[in-house]
Amino acid sequence: MYKVMIVDDEPVIREGLKTIVPWDEYGFQVAATAANGREALQKFKSGALDLLVIDIRMPGMDGLQLLEAVRKESTAVHVLILSGYADFAYAQKAIAAKVDGYILKPVEETEITQALLNVKKLLDQEAAAARMRERAGWNRELFLRSLLTGENPASGEEIGAIAEQYDLRWKQYRIVLLACEENTPADADAGSGLMTGINELVGANGVAFRAAPYIGLLLKDDLRTELSRKNLYDRLAAAMQEAGCEFVCAAGPGVGSLAEIADAAKVAESLLARRFFYRTDRLLTERDLLPPEQPEATAQPLKIEQAVDKFAFALEIGSAESAQSLVAQWLGQLAANGESEQQIKTAMVQIVTRALEKLASAYPDAQLAKQRLSTELMEVYRCKNIYAVEHFIAVLAKKAIGQITSGSTGSLLKRMVDLIHRNYHENLRLETLAEVFNYNSAYLGKLFKNHTGEYFNTFLDKVRIEQAKKLLEQGYKVYQVAELVGYANADYFHSKFRKYVGVSPTAYRKKE
């Protein structure tokens, strides 16, 4: 609130002006009143005031004499003159003394209201200019940084005045943030060359500035077209590569004023915060925040045990393509379920590690591969995004396949048969193998029957029963055999054994 003193020798006028005019609505507060010029001058000297409303005709020191005395103390204070006399001579003297208005008594509310609005505008402009003078030590970079951080308390009009000073009065603005990866010179002395290069790259189309932990670009270009975005990214990539910096960049939405770039920058920051989930070989924009098209059913939580089995099967049959397809599916599922970067990477490490452990327990050649690849697997935590994770695991799967001798060469169906003979004790299902081999389960079942003459489940049962006979001959108990060949339920094992052998497991064991 701007402070006002009312000076008039008539109490009715003083109180009337104080109570009738809604001062606070116009940004003013009546801080003092005075009955004559001397009293007014004393109060003026003792307190800071922004506006004096002075009656000209007063006994002793009149209004013009008071005005002359006030001007010796301050040229900044604003003054409105009240007079019951339409005397042009008085008006001339008042104007010469730099007053802001000359109002005749009786005072009309609309007239003094308009006068107050005019003074308020002048006071606001002076306040903005004072703040600009306080910021005389600023440069353009500090000004832009203050806008992003919200440290700039200036109003929109004031920001516009400062923008004029720094040649930033544009029709539209687009903020781009560059996040430099670790070991970058962006914040070191060597970074000055990088900043110079980026400013040259931007040219007349904008300005580059430091906005730790980012490098900021304020652009005139709206970047609405794919070509404009690609051109900007390619030029930035060249400059960053020359400086030895890896980076990710994101743009906020286009805005029409500098006062809005803080909100636009928040969009860019949210993109950078989730950069793990985006391809980062391009400029990220607000379009990337749109959720991808998802199937109607909500993605189910990833079952690690099932994933381990499938990944082990894919490695065992020597199918790097199946391994990569499974990994891509799981990564998408984890992301759709809102898992964090750390959670996703940890899940993939668990799947690969346990799959290698399963293979190592079955194949001597896989033991060395497990030791080598388990150490290398930890590098997944350095992957920059989810696509890099997919590529890294795919490469690792190829290495694993190359180092594991699993006898997996041959036709698809021969590999299936070999896999059953090696993994009969596992929870094998045609649907699981179909997914690993990337086939429709019904179609794969027909192919399998044509190749073996048996349905998949029948073939699996017969392999298990043959292994069960060998174990019974070795003296194992029936419930032990059932578990060792893959039957969780001993009664179910009994029925299957009797079906294919003709006698119960107990009878067969006694006969032997």
Side-chain angles (χ1 to χ4, degrees):
M1 291 284 186
Y2 295 115
K3 294 183 178 180
V4 181
M5 180 166 63
I6 300 172
V7 186
D8 198 298
D9 63 327
E10 298 182 45
V12 175
I13 299 296
R14 290 198 306 272
E15 293 304 314
L17 286 175
K18 185 178 178 181
T19 57
I20 294 174
V21 177
W23 298 93
D24 56 339
E25 291 184 15
Y26 306 114
F28 293 93
Q29 174 190 1
V30 177
T33 61
N36 55 65
R38 289 188 176 85
E39 182 186 356
L41 183 60
Q42 184 179 0
K43 290 185 176 180
F44 178 77
K45 291 179 179 180
S46 62
L49 295 166
D50 301 295
L51 173 63
L52 304 180
V53 180
I54 302 173
D55 182 23
I56 284 185
R57 291 288 190 174
M58 293 185 295
M61 178 183 284
D62 65 20
L64 293 182
Q65 291 171 331
L66 171 61
L67 185 54
E68 290 176 6
V70 164
R71 285 292 178 238
K72 292 178 182 178
E73 299 290 333
S74 170
T75 58
V77 68
H78 291 263
V79 178
L80 292 176
I81 291 293
L82 298 175
S83 177
Y85 301 89
D87 191 325
F88 183 68
Y90 277 111
Q92 282 184 314
K93 289 181 180 180
I95 293 170
K98 297 181 180 178
V99 300
D100 298 272
Y102 187 88
I103 304 171
L104 293 178
K105 294 181 180 179
V107 177
E108 294 286 343
E109 185 177 345
T110 55
E111 187 177 2
I112 194 169
T113 295
Q114 185 58 53
L116 290 175
L117 290 174
N118 293 339
V119 173
K120 172 71 163 48
K121 183 177 180 181
L122 292 172
L123 286 167
D124 287 344
Q125 291 173 353
E126 290 167 3
R131 281 191 287 267
M132 287 182 64
R133 286 193 295 273
E134 289 175 4
R135 302 184 184 114
W138 277 17
N139 56 30
R140 184 167 60 177
E141 181 169 304
L142 290 173
F143 169 60
L144 292 174
R145 192 183 303 160
S146 74
L147 291 176
L148 291 193
T149 60
E151 295 173 356
N152 192 328
S155 66
E157 185 175 319
E158 292 166 357
I159 290 174
I162 301 170
E164 191 76 46
Q165 178 183 352
Y166 293 131
D167 193 25
L168 295 173
R169 275 281 199 178
W170 304 338
K171 292 182 179 179
Q172 57 191 3
Y173 304 86
R174 175 80 76 154
I175 188 74
V176 176
L177 298 180
L178 282 68
C180 298
E181 302 295 354
E182 296 177 0
N183 303 320
T184 172
D187 291 321
D189 292 339
S192 58
L194 175 61
M195 293 301 297
T196 300
I198 295 177
N199 263 310
E200 290 176 354
L201 177 154
V202 173
N205 193 44
V207 58
F209 60 100
R210 296 176 190 271
Y214 311 112
I215 294 175
L217 302 182
L218 187 65
L219 304 175
K220 298 177 184 178
D221 191 347
D222 59 11
L223 299 176
R224 290 183 183 177
T225 67
E226 184 66 32
L227 180 61
S228 65
R229 293 191 292 272
K230 184 178 185 305
N231 286 342
L232 176 63
Y233 180 85
D234 289 346
R235 288 182 290 141
L236 287 172
M240 288 297 202
Q241 184 175 8
E242 185 176 345
C245 297
E246 295 182 10
F247 79 108
V248 182
C249 60
V255 294
S257 71
L258 282 173
E260 298 175 273
I261 67 169
D263 289 335
K266 289 178 183 177
V267 175
E269 285 186 287
S270 65
L271 286 164
L272 293 177
R274 287 183 53 79
R275 60 183 177 264
F276 175 75
F277 298 95
Y278 304 126
R279 292 192 179 279
T280 52
D281 55 350
R282 58 189 176 83
L283 176 66
L284 302 177
T285 68
E286 64 268 29
R287 296 181 182 181
D288 293 295
L289 289 174
L290 297 175
E293 292 185 7
Q294 297 287 347
E296 290 184 8
T298 304
Q300 297 297 315
L302 178 63
K303 297 180 179 179
I304 297 294
E305 289 295 339
Q306 293 182 6
V308 169
D309 289 341
K310 291 177 182 178
F311 195 72
F313 290 154
L315 297 181
E316 191 172 1
I317 65 176
S319 177
E321 294 80 6
S322 294
Q324 182 168 5
S325 177
L326 288 169
V327 169
Q329 172 190 327
W330 296 331
L331 289 173
Q333 189 174 348
L334 289 166
N337 283 332
E339 302 290 337
S340 68
E341 173 183 348
Q342 190 73 13
Q343 289 170 326
I344 289 173
K345 289 177 176 178
T346 298
M348 298 312 303
V349 167
Q350 288 178 346
I351 291 169
V352 175
T353 299
R354 289 165 63 179
L356 291 174
E357 287 173 351
K358 287 192 68 169
L359 295 176
S361 65
Y363 306 105
D365 292 335
Q367 185 64 43
L368 183 58
K370 171 186 172 293
Q371 294 173 356
R372 291 173 178 171
L373 298 178
S374 293
T375 301
E376 186 177 342
L377 179 59
M378 293 302 103
E379 291 295 309
V380 75
Y381 286 103
R382 298 174 65 87
C383 289
K384 303 298 184 186
N385 57 54
I386 199 168
Y387 303 97
V389 171
E390 179 184 336
H391 177 73
F392 179 85
I393 301 296
V395 171
L396 200 72
K398 288 183 180 180
K399 290 182 180 180
I401 290 168
Q403 295 179 37
I404 295 172
T405 303
S406 61
S408 60
T409 58
S411 68
L412 166 68
L413 295 171
K414 181 179 181 302
R415 282 186 283 160
M416 280 188 66
V417 170
D418 290 344
L419 187 146
I420 291 171
H421 278 288
R422 289 193 299 269
N423 298 279
Y424 58 87
H425 56 284
E426 299 281 357
N427 181 26
L428 294 179
R429 297 173 64 248
L430 179 62
E431 292 78 11
T432 301
L433 295 181
E435 185 175 357
V436 171
F437 284 97
N438 199 25
Y439 269 76
N440 175 274
S441 60
Y443 180 64
L444 183 61
K446 290 180 181 179
L447 291 178
F448 187 86
K449 187 175 186 302
N450 291 337
H451 179 74
T452 63
E454 303 278 6
Y455 288 109
F456 174 83
N457 288 334
T458 302
F459 186 89
L460 176 60
D461 282 336
K462 287 184 175 181
V463 170
R464 285 173 167 173
I465 296 303
E466 286 302 313
Q467 294 297 323
K469 289 163 64 176
K470 293 177 183 179
L471 293 172
L472 289 169
E473 291 167 5
Q474 294 173 23
Y476 283 89
K477 295 181 178 180
V478 174
Y479 76 88
Q480 294 176 316
V481 173
E483 184 176 347
L484 288 171
V485 298
Y487 291 108
N489 186 297
D491 291 337
Y492 186 66
F493 168 62
H494 269 267
S495 65
K496 287 290 183 182
F497 194 93
R498 182 180 292 277
K499 174 180 178 181
Y500 292 111
V501 181
V503 297
S504 69
T506 304
Y508 183 86
R509 186 169 178 268
K510 288 180 179 178
K511 184 180 70 171
E512 294 301 321

